[in-house]
Amino acid sequence: MTPASFLNLLTWMKNDFDGQVTIDMLLTFFFVASRGTCTQNELEEALGYSNSGASRNVSWWTERTFDRRPGKGFIRREIDPDDMRYRRLELTKKGREFYAQLQEKIR
């Protein structure tokens, strides 16, 4: 990604989300999108987030934020059926469509 395409992406995100999205939120989205599916623990380890920081960033992208306000609906967070201590993360259909838009902005 060139500096110009990165700036273009950040400007688009700022305008599209009224300046609410942070770099950490964007990194969270890209991590989940690049993995297809992952656990919140994998996200925490890879990006160096605390449990609460990862939870806050993920919840911004889900249907409901951590404080019960409507979220974006781009990431689905579910309890892992194999180990109930973990939360599985994956993009929703809406999230995959948004990711395709992001990829266009990067090019």
Side-chain angles (χ1 to χ4, degrees):
M1 174 186 306
T2 67
S5 63
F6 184 65
L7 182 59
N8 183 35
L9 172 68
L10 291 179
T11 302
W12 177 71
M13 292 288 295
K14 179 181 176 190
N15 294 335
D16 203 45
F17 292 113
D18 298 322
Q20 295 177 0
V21 69
T22 66
I23 295 294
D24 283 334
M25 290 173 180
L26 193 56
L27 286 171
T28 296
F29 181 82
F30 274 116
F31 183 83
V32 175
S34 68
R35 289 295 188 90
T37 184
C38 65
T39 66
Q40 187 166 313
N41 288 36
E42 291 169 339
L43 173 81
E44 292 166 14
E45 290 174 14
L47 300 180
Y49 295 154
S50 65
N51 181 269
S52 61
S55 183
R56 184 176 43 255
N57 288 332
V58 168
S59 76
W60 195 82
W61 294 105
T62 60
E63 285 293 324
R64 294 263 177 232
T65 63
F66 67 95
D67 57 359
R68 304 274 186 219
R69 289 184 286 156
K72 302 301 175 206
F74 293 165
I75 292 179
R76 178 179 302 110
R77 176 175 35 196
E78 298 177 339
I79 294 174
D80 187 331
D82 297 326
D83 190 337
M84 296 183 74
R85 295 173 296 172
Y86 296 103
R87 303 289 182 261
R88 286 237 153 254
L89 308 172
E90 65 182 354
L91 295 185
T92 62
K93 181 180 181 209
K94 186 176 174 183
R96 289 188 301 274
E97 290 168 357
F98 180 69
Y99 185 55
Q101 289 178 343
L102 287 177
Q103 289 176 314
E104 285 297 315
K105 295 290 180 190
I106 293 170
R107 290 185 189 149

